Amino acid sequence: MKNRKWHLDNWKVPKVMSALFFIAFLGLYIRFAFLSLATEIDGKNIKKFAEERNTKSSVLHANRGTIYDSTGNILAVNVSSYTVIAYLDAARTGSSTKPLHVVDKQMTAEKLSPIINMRVEAILSLLQRDVKQVELGPGGRGITQLTKEKIEELELPGISFVESYKRYYPNGDFASYTLGYAKLYEEKHNSGLIEHNIVGELGIEKHYDDLLTGTNGYISYQRDRFNYKIPDTPETIEPEKDGDNIYLTIDSNIQRFIESAMKNVGEKYDPEWFTLSIMDAKTGAILGTTSYPSFDPNLKDIKKYENILVSTLYEPGSVMKIFTYMCALESGKYRGNDTFSSGKIVIGDSTVKDWNNTGWGYITYDKGFEYSSNVGVSNIVQTVIDKKELQDCFLKYGFASTTGIELPREASGKIAFTYPIEVATAAFGQGIYTTPIQMLQGLSILSNNGKKLKPYIVDKITDPNTSEVKYQSEVNESEQLISFKSVEYVKDLMYNVINSSDPNRTGKGYYIQDYGILGKTGTAQIFDSKLNRYLSGTYSYVYSFAGMFPKEDPEIIIYAALSQPKYGGSSILPNTIKPVIEDIAKYKNIYGTNKNNEKTITYNVESFISKDLDQIKDKLEDNGLEVIIIGNGDKIINQYPNNGTKVVSGDKIFLMTNGDEIKMPNMLNWSKNDVRIFKKLTNFNILLDGYGYVIKQSILEDKVITNEDVIEIVFDTIKEEI
């Protein structure tokens, strides 16, 4: 016992353990005290760290401004979009009586496939992944509200949606280079905030990106462990500021006319490029502009990133004779009845020939304009005006400098010539470089009694919340550049190009009885800088037309240019532009009456969806509109044109009903655009052959048609007599 007691008395382990425990406890106490009192630990502000850890911050995204046409139709807008999410983890359902994850993967894939345009196998592959949730892309990414609702109606277990937003262009391929496009970008900040920004990358979207974007805001507050706001704690809110709204000068109806023309040219002739623009002759407002190849801003299927209207430089050809003659008249030395020998002229070591190589013998200079004689205008710059006078005139008329129109990447062009042969070729539009917008601006000198108008495409900019007008366009005209007498003389020359009885006039293909169209044609060679020579080939030219109407007091300026079509040559533009002029004249009621000698009625289309067919049909027909009914139902489920579009008496309104039986309409004399609309609404297999108006259809009127039928439609440039 003595030994045992001695052993216990000398056992120091408990004492050592107690000491170690005390030291550890003391160390922890000191550390806790330090943590409680210290303001900074390991280089971090501990108070700030704690606040950030318990702070919830969210971005308040500003809405990008909306772009409208001149009458308030939406051309570009932000819309909600959704991504389809599939929850695959069975644990998500838990004790719920209703499944909250995907149960039947095969059935889910089969039902989603036609709605999100993905193969069943592709969807099934995603659903069979060993993950908790999966995004059903690409088809299920960025879907619309309508598609989301279709999926929700299926009530598929485990299928949900993540909301986002995107830039949407309701008309698709429509004024595409004017609007441009904007893309959604995601930026993650160090704080963990994820900010989404839509950035303009082309057209108006790019030029006015700062105004359209607005400013994002944010909200932050203290949260508890359940992610709820802690009561009586400070909340910081920096409100977002939405982007401004922009109203363009574009008239959607005129734009619709020229879009149809553009698509017809592109589809049939496949040129290198084509551009067609309409300008208000009294203000400089661009009423419509289009070009080929085009693109859908929603799809961004872009082949050419330059806007031909402002960025493409080319040799304009004989339309430039308008401005050479204008300059000669202003010199006071021009005598239109003086004659010259046409056919060819030798200038230094070079020979200039007329376009037909032989000429027309001795003709007057006025006739030289009407016939588009290169020899005539070459004589003018040797005997009437000199190099400096011509160059000064071209510069004064706006060539070789930007117009300042509100579109990005405008080119200035080049007006430079030194030697006599260069002066001669410049006089008929070769060896110099211009843009279509410069040509429109130059033509305004004639329509505006000698004063040049600055082209513009933005009408006004407004605050999205207050509708306050922050910018309002104004007509911007130059000083008097040429006399009224010279204006009238050139207008007479242009009138004769189209309307005289002379069979040699170059613009006879543009003639429309009683329209008084003024115009000048052009055919320019194309210089290949790589080969260092002009291209050869039957259609290796830029064909152009510069015109305005009506003669006495022009309201509309029209300019078109076409480069290297596959075939068709100089006949393409007359067949394209005449229907456009007729449509615009009728729509604007320029000549007071329509072709039936009845006053034109203008009608603003509203939404007819879900309304009674008979009631709407009667209403539209009372307004002089031609109603095309698709299906044998009694309720309207789709329509064209859409809500907000302005139409005039005689226009077609397509109404799709809820009936399954669709009969073949009588398409005789329908335009190609009319047939395209019918095809788009029905999704029928319709083959289009030719250009112009319908002269033949393979299925007779009133025959019931289905998706199994192949419908062949033949077009011609001459309407059939009814």
Side-chain angles (χ1 to χ4, degrees):
M1 289 294 292
K2 183 177 180 180
N3 289 337
R4 180 179 176 81
K5 182 179 179 182
W6 178 88
H7 179 72
L8 292 172
D9 288 343
N10 287 279
W11 192 34
K12 299 178 180 180
V13 172
K15 297 178 180 179
V16 173
M17 293 297 292
S18 296
L20 291 173
F21 178 78
F22 176 76
I23 292 169
F25 180 79
L26 182 63
L28 289 172
Y29 180 81
I30 293 170
R31 181 64 175 169
F32 286 142
F34 175 72
L35 292 175
S36 300
L37 300 174
T39 58
E40 193 171 290
I41 299 173
D42 296 333
K44 292 183 179 180
N45 186 305
I46 195 66
K47 182 179 181 181
K48 184 178 179 182
F49 174 77
E51 288 176 351
E52 289 180 349
R53 186 182 178 196
N54 296 311
T55 299
K56 170 70 173 177
S57 297
S58 300
V59 175
L60 301 175
H61 288 100
N63 188 49
R64 188 174 179 86
T66 301
I67 302 175
Y68 299 91
D69 76 351
S70 60
T71 58
N73 295 314
I74 292 175
L75 300 178
V77 66
N78 274 18
V79 296
S80 292
S81 65
Y82 303 88
T83 298
V84 184
I85 301 294
Y87 292 103
L88 306 177
D89 188 2
R92 186 172 187 268
T93 297
S95 59
S96 172
T97 57
K98 182 179 179 180
L100 302 177
H101 70 287
V102 178
V103 178
D104 190 333
K105 296 180 179 180
Q106 180 68 36
M107 179 271 292
T108 300
E110 289 175 355
K111 289 196 172 184
L112 286 176
S113 174
I115 299 178
I116 64 175
N117 294 318
M118 287 180 65
R119 293 183 299 107
V120 172
E121 295 77 16
I123 300 174
L124 196 58
S125 174
L126 294 171
L127 296 178
Q128 289 173 341
R129 290 184 180 179
D130 187 18
V131 291
K132 291 187 177 182
Q133 68 181 61
V134 68
E135 180 182 295
L136 300 184
R141 193 179 299 122
I143 65 172
T144 64
Q145 176 70 31
L146 183 61
T147 303
K148 174 177 177 282
E149 291 173 359
K150 288 181 180 179
I151 295 173
E152 287 175 331
E153 290 173 0
L154 299 175
E155 298 183 348
L156 298 171
I159 297 299
S160 188
F161 307 89
V162 174
E163 184 176 9
S164 182
Y165 60 96
K166 65 179 180 181
R167 198 63 166 167
Y168 178 61
Y169 304 88
N171 296 311
D173 186 348
F174 186 86
S176 302
Y177 282 99
T178 299
L179 298 173
Y181 69 89
K183 286 177 64 175
L184 180 65
Y185 289 91
E186 183 179 287
E187 181 182 0
K188 189 170 184 179
H189 298 280
N190 293 332
S191 63
L193 284 178
I194 297 177
E195 192 167 0
H196 296 94
N197 292 303
I198 295 179
V199 180
E201 299 192 347
L202 198 70
I204 291 292
E205 294 276 28
K206 177 179 175 65
H207 193 73
Y208 285 100
D209 187 55
D210 290 344
L211 291 180
L212 288 164
T213 297
T215 306
N216 288 339
Y218 71 90
I219 180 172
S220 63
Y221 54 84
Q222 300 295 306
R223 61 180 178 179
D224 59 21
R225 63 192 181 95
F226 299 107
N227 231 14
Y228 293 112
K229 182 181 181 297
I230 300 174
D232 301 322
T233 57
E235 180 180 74
T236 302
I237 299 178
E238 182 69 34
E240 74 278 18
K241 182 181 181 300
D242 292 340
D244 293 332
N245 295 331
I246 295 178
Y247 289 78
L248 303 181
T249 59
I250 296 294
D251 183 314
S252 283
N253 290 286
I254 291 177
Q255 185 69 31
R256 183 157 52 92
F257 300 151
I258 64 174
E259 290 285 349
S260 176
M262 178 271 292
K263 289 179 173 63
N264 285 335
V265 169
E267 181 181 282
K268 183 170 184 179
Y269 303 105
D270 190 25
E272 179 193 17
W273 55 260
F274 169 63
T275 184
L276 174 58
S277 298
I278 309 296
M279 189 169 85
D280 188 309
K282 298 304 181 187
T283 66
I286 301 298
L287 304 177
T289 177
T290 188
S291 59
Y292 174 89
S294 188
F295 68 97
D296 185 335
N298 298 305
L299 304 177
K300 301 175 184 63
D301 49 343
I302 304 174
K303 297 177 182 177
K304 182 181 177 68
Y305 279 85
E306 296 292 358
N307 184 349
I308 297 172
L309 176 68
V310 296
S311 301
T312 296
L313 292 170
Y314 58 97
E315 299 180 50
S318 290
V319 291
M320 209 68 191
K321 291 172 185 171
I322 296 171
F323 306 101
T324 303
Y325 271 74
M326 193 186 293
C327 187
L329 279 160
E330 279 297 288
S331 74
K333 296 175 287 185
Y334 176 79
R335 301 288 181 268
N337 288 324
D338 287 353
T339 61
F340 67 94
S341 177
S342 63
K344 65 180 180 180
I345 182 173
V346 177
I347 302 176
D349 296 330
S350 302
T351 300
V352 172
K353 294 182 179 181
D354 281 321
W355 58 269
N356 65 356
N357 291 320
T358 59
W360 307 268
Y362 277 91
I363 58 174
T364 66
Y365 283 101
D366 283 358
K367 278 295 178 183
F369 187 91
E370 192 176 329
Y371 295 175
S372 198
S373 171
N374 294 337
V375 173
V377 81
S378 296
N379 270 304
I380 286 174
V381 294
Q382 292 187 91
T383 61
V384 179
I385 54 176
D386 60 23
K387 176 186 74 173
K388 186 178 186 307
E389 288 175 299
L390 182 65
Q391 193 165 55
D392 288 347
C393 282
F394 283 176
L395 295 176
K396 183 170 65 173
Y397 302 156
F399 298 101
S401 61
T402 57
T403 66
I405 192 172
E406 309 94 330
L407 290 168
R409 296 178 59 80
E410 184 182 2
S412 59
K414 181 182 178 182
I415 300 292
F417 36 84
T418 302
Y419 302 106
I421 186 61
E422 293 176 332
V423 179
T425 58
F428 56 82
Q430 295 280 180
I432 59 174
Y433 292 88
T434 64
T435 62
I437 193 64
Q438 289 173 342
M439 197 62 63
L440 289 163
Q441 178 180 250
L443 291 168
S444 72
I445 299 171
L446 295 172
S447 68
N448 197 44
N449 296 325
K451 294 182 179 181
K452 180 178 64 181
L453 294 168
K454 178 183 176 181
Y456 64 99
I457 203 164
V458 172
D459 178 40
K460 62 182 178 180
I461 300 173
T462 65
D463 184 287
N465 298 311
T466 65
S467 297
E468 173 196 357
V469 178
K470 303 173 73 171
Y471 166 80
Q472 178 66 62
S473 63
E474 294 180 351
V475 176
N476 187 333
E477 64 180 14
S478 71
E479 62 183 3
Q480 194 76 31
L481 298 181
I482 68 172
S483 67
F484 182 74
K485 181 179 178 181
S486 295
V487 167
E488 291 302 301
Y489 201 113
V490 176
K491 285 167 62 177
D492 285 339
L493 291 176
M494 294 174 67
Y495 178 84
N496 289 335
V497 167
I498 294 175
N499 298 277
S500 83
S501 59
D502 194 320
N504 291 318
R505 70 193 192 278
T506 57
K508 58 187 175 184
Y510 296 89
Y511 173 74
I512 303 174
Q513 185 176 357
D514 299 328
Y515 269 55
I517 299 167
L518 313 180
K520 181 70 189 78
T521 61
T523 304
Q525 291 180 289
I526 300 171
F527 187 77
D528 190 321
S529 57
K530 294 180 181 178
L531 299 175
N532 198 33
R533 63 174 175 80
Y534 282 99
L535 296 177
S536 60
T538 306
Y539 304 113
S540 294
Y541 298 95
V542 172
Y543 303 94
S544 59
F545 175 77
M548 60 188 74
F549 62 94
K551 176 184 185 293
E552 298 307 324
D553 189 18
E555 295 182 36
I556 297 294
I557 295 174
I558 183 168
Y559 180 74
L562 173 74
S563 178
Q564 291 184 275
K566 292 294 184 291
Y567 69 97
S570 59
S571 66
I572 298 173
L573 288 184
N575 291 332
T576 300
I577 290 172
K578 281 173 62 178
V580 170
I581 291 175
E582 289 175 322
D583 286 339
I584 293 173
K586 177 184 173 185
Y587 167 62
K588 300 286 284 186
N589 199 24
I590 288 175
Y591 299 100
T593 58
N594 61 20
K595 64 183 180 180
N596 293 321
N597 216 30
E598 297 173 352
K599 189 165 180 60
T600 302
I601 301 172
T602 301
Y603 181 79
N604 290 312
V605 177
E606 56 203 271
S607 175
F608 306 130
I609 306 301
S610 300
K611 293 184 178 179
D612 180 75
L613 173 65
D614 290 338
Q615 181 181 352
I616 297 302
K617 178 177 178 291
D618 291 343
K619 180 179 179 181
L620 294 174
E621 289 179 343
D622 287 343
N623 282 277
L625 298 164
E626 182 181 352
V627 182
I628 308 298
I629 300 171
I630 303 173
N632 61 340
D634 58 355
K635 298 291 182 183
I636 300 167
I637 61 173
N638 203 353
Q639 69 182 75
Y640 185 91
N642 295 323
N643 178 31
T645 304
K646 186 184 290 184
V647 295
V648 295
S649 51
D651 281 351
K652 291 182 178 64
I653 301 284
F654 293 81
L655 301 178
M656 185 90 176
T657 73
N658 55 349
D660 295 329
E661 184 180 284
I662 298 176
K663 293 183 178 181
M664 183 70 192
N666 180 2
M667 292 185 175
L668 187 65
N669 287 335
W670 280 22
S671 70
K672 207 164 194 179
N673 189 55
D674 292 336
V675 179
R676 281 200 183 97
I677 294 165
F678 183 83
K679 180 178 180 179
K680 184 176 181 180
L681 290 171
T682 60
N683 288 319
F684 285 157
N685 186 10
I686 301 178
L687 305 180
L688 311 180
D689 179 24
Y691 170 81
Y693 302 94
V694 176
I695 61 168
K696 184 180 179 182
Q697 59 189 59
S698 63
I699 295 181
L700 297 177
E701 181 184 1
D702 288 336
K703 183 181 183 301
V704 175
I705 47 179
T706 69
N707 287 321
E708 304 299 320
D709 292 311
V710 177
I711 306 168
E712 297 178 4
I713 304 295
V714 180
F715 298 83
D716 198 355
T717 54
I718 308 284
K719 287 186 178 182
E720 285 287 302
E721 293 294 330
I722 299 178

